[in-house]
Amino acid sequence: MGRKATNEIKNEPEEPMAARSKMSEEAVSGLEVKGIENLTPTEKKHLLLQLSRDRVKDSSAGPWEIVDVFRENWRTIKATLAQPVEIEVRDTGRDALFRVSLDITQLERELETQERE
């Protein structure tokens, strides 16, 4: 089971997304993440939430740049069909490279598809 790097460009215009951490008032906007337009709305939401949690821990975090995206084959995790997604991100504020791992469920993908119709 190999990884597949994908950087498809989404041609749909949309409002910049933002996410706020439940731990504080810190918010991260999609405008702070270079390359976020290549992610699906579900991936954007999960990534922005993770970045807002990082900013709560360290206020010098951000802005960010997406270096690469890896989407793996679907697999079952605790009886839920999920697609592991790894996003390699460069934090330009701290000059650090790290990887965010997400498990996008089949339900989230289906809801995302319905929103586009």
Side-chain angles (χ1 to χ4, degrees), residues 40-55:
T40 69
T42 302
E43 292 166 347
K44 288 177 190 178
K45 176 187 80 171
H46 285 286
L47 178 63
L48 290 173
L49 285 170
Q50 180 61 50
L51 296 177
S52 69
R53 288 190 290 264
D54 289 352
R55 184 169 276 166

Side-chain angles (χ1 to χ4, degrees), residues 47-103:
L47 178 63
L48 290 173
L49 285 170
Q50 180 61 50
L51 296 177
S52 69
R53 288 190 290 264
D54 289 352
R55 184 169 276 166
V56 167
K57 294 176 188 170
D58 182 354
S59 62
S60 69
W64 300 269
E65 177 183 358
I66 294 176
V67 176
D68 217 341
V69 179
F70 300 95
R71 293 177 181 92
E72 294 185 25
N73 294 325
W74 290 91
R75 65 178 183 224
T76 303
I77 300 173
K78 294 185 181 177
T80 302
L81 195 58
Q83 180 185 28
V85 177
E86 291 185 346
I87 303 170
E88 197 166 277
V89 180
R90 180 179 318 283
D91 184 333
T92 57
R94 296 185 293 191
D95 193 28
L97 188 65
F98 62 96
R99 189 169 285 186
V100 177
S101 297
L102 315 170
D103 286 322

Side-chain angles (χ1 to χ4, degrees), residues 13-20 27-33 36-37 39-49 51-52 64 112 115-116:
E14 58 185 51
E15 291 291 315
M17 193 181 275
R20 183 174 312 279
V28 173
S29 165
L31 298 173
E32 296 179 77
V33 185
I36 197 165
E37 63 277 359
L39 301 180
T40 69
T42 302
E43 292 166 347
K44 288 177 190 178
K45 176 187 80 171
H46 285 286
L47 178 63
L48 290 173
L49 285 170
L51 296 177
S52 69
W64 300 269
E112 184 176 85
E115 290 173 3
R116 291 183 189 167

